[in-house]
Amino acid sequence: IYQEVAAMRLTADVLLRAESYLNPVKERELYLRGFKIPAIENLSILQDQFDVIDLSDNEVRILDNFPRMRRLSTLLVNNNYVFRVGSIGENLPQLTTLVLTNNRIANLSEIDNIASLKKLESLSLMDNPVTQRPHYRLYTIHKMPHLNLLDFVKVTRVEREAAASLFASSEGHGVLTSVQKEHQAAQQEEQQARMSAASRLTESQREQVRRAIESATTREEMDRIEKQLKTGTFEFADKETSSGQVDSATSNGKL
């Protein structure tokens, strides 16, 4: 029964029952591998008690929705479906290692959001489409001058100088302009996706969302509702679609 619950959502129950231990370097680590988790949520229940969280081998698509976690220093998100990264730096101020090997990040603009992690020293984006983009490595080094290890290869002084030279040139300015346009296009696409998802809600589901918003008393609760709607994890009481048919995806909170 536990496995079935864990495979659906990252609930408070899943988090409280998940395996945790001291890893070989004496860091407290939370093991959340292989639960088919579709979205990050409810992490505030952990009360910032972990140095490392391992979310590898899940189905996370958007890396976002973290509460303030001052202790967390390492985040492992290998083998997911991540294609978008939120501006996570403010809530993860001490994160030094982020491993996103084998995901679906394709746009250089996502690196700008990763760069909000001001203390990040080690980053892996291996086996993501973005690594095939022109100037990927120099762009990443330019955006994160504090980075020491990129894709498990040490960042050298020569690379830092090459990045500085490239982005001081007209070619580099062209790359920056292109990435900005890419970012704007991604924002528009996300907005359209939200509007499309909202248009598929039944009147009963819309009323449930309105009640949830009216009942929210803090900004964190409002943010959680927004993230749940965005990622399709909002739990509705009814299971009917607009056509009156039972919809198992909706019953699991998927729009």
Side-chain angles (χ1 to χ4, degrees):
I1 293 174
Y2 169 64
Q3 288 294 338
E4 292 178 358
V5 173
M8 291 171 61
R9 286 187 57 194
L10 188 56
T11 63
D13 181 59
V14 169
L15 287 165
L16 292 174
R17 297 174 63 181
E19 180 183 357
S20 63
Y21 53 90
L22 281 179
N23 65 22
V25 293
K26 307 300 182 183
E27 295 172 324
R28 194 169 183 208
E29 181 166 342
L30 182 66
Y31 187 86
L32 292 168
R33 277 181 175 256
F35 288 153
K36 299 183 180 179
I37 296 164
I40 295 168
E41 54 184 330
N42 298 314
L43 292 184
S44 58
I45 197 74
L46 300 176
Q47 299 182 341
D48 198 15
Q49 296 181 6
F50 294 93
D51 304 292
V52 181
I53 295 179
D54 189 348
L55 280 161
S56 300
D57 304 318
N58 284 292
E59 297 178 358
V60 175
R61 290 168 171 78
I62 300 176
L63 193 67
D64 203 356
N65 204 27
F66 291 92
R68 185 79 167 173
M69 303 180 82
R70 295 181 177 86
R71 180 171 174 176
L72 190 67
S73 62
T74 298
L75 184 60
L76 308 175
V77 201
N78 300 293
N79 307 323
N80 277 261
Y81 302 145
V82 175
F83 69 95
R84 186 153 299 154
V85 181
S87 185
I88 58 180
E90 182 177 353
N91 285 342
L92 303 178
Q94 301 300 321
L95 199 74
T96 58
T97 299
L98 175 60
V99 181
L100 283 163
T101 300
N102 191 27
N103 277 277
R104 298 180 178 178
I105 296 171
N107 296 335
L108 287 174
S109 57
E110 301 304 324
I111 290 172
D112 291 4
N113 286 335
I114 297 174
S116 67
L117 297 161
K118 298 304 182 185
K119 292 195 175 181
L120 196 66
E121 298 175 358
S122 178
L123 170 66
S124 174
L125 291 169
M126 291 179 67
D127 298 323
N128 280 263
V130 71
T131 61
Q132 303 303 312
R133 295 286 298 272
H135 308 302
Y136 152 73
R137 189 170 174 90
L138 292 185
Y139 183 83
T140 305
I141 292 168
H142 171 68
K143 285 293 181 175
M144 289 177 265
H146 44 284
L147 206 61
N148 294 322
L149 202 66
L150 177 57
D151 299 334
F152 304 105
V153 176
K154 183 177 176 58
V155 177
T156 66
R157 180 178 58 83
V158 171
E159 286 181 311
R160 295 189 196 280
E161 291 173 351
S165 176
L166 172 63
F167 291 102
S169 70
S170 58
E171 181 184 5
H173 292 162
V175 172
L176 295 173
T177 299
S178 175
V179 172
Q180 180 61 29
K181 290 179 179 177
E182 189 176 79
H183 175 67
Q184 292 170 350
Q187 285 184 318
Q188 291 174 357
E189 181 182 340
E190 186 175 336
Q191 178 66 20
Q192 290 171 354
R194 284 200 297 268
M195 293 174 63
S196 176
S199 69
R200 294 196 298 271
L201 296 180
T202 66
E203 186 55 40
S204 172
Q205 291 169 340
R206 291 175 190 272
E207 181 59 29
Q208 289 176 58
V209 173
R210 283 193 288 267
R211 287 200 300 269
I213 293 172
E214 290 171 358
S215 299
T217 57
T218 66
R219 178 60 182 270
E220 184 178 22
E221 289 176 346
M222 290 290 294
D223 288 345
R224 186 182 71 250
I225 293 169
E226 181 182 355
K227 299 295 184 185
Q228 288 174 342
L229 290 169
K230 185 187 299 184
T231 58
T233 57
F234 188 93
E235 286 193 333
F236 295 105
D238 66 296
K239 299 183 180 182
E240 292 188 356
T241 66
S242 57
S243 64
Q245 300 297 317
V246 173
D247 185 344
S248 60
T250 303
S251 68
N252 287 336
K254 294 185 178 180
L255 305 181

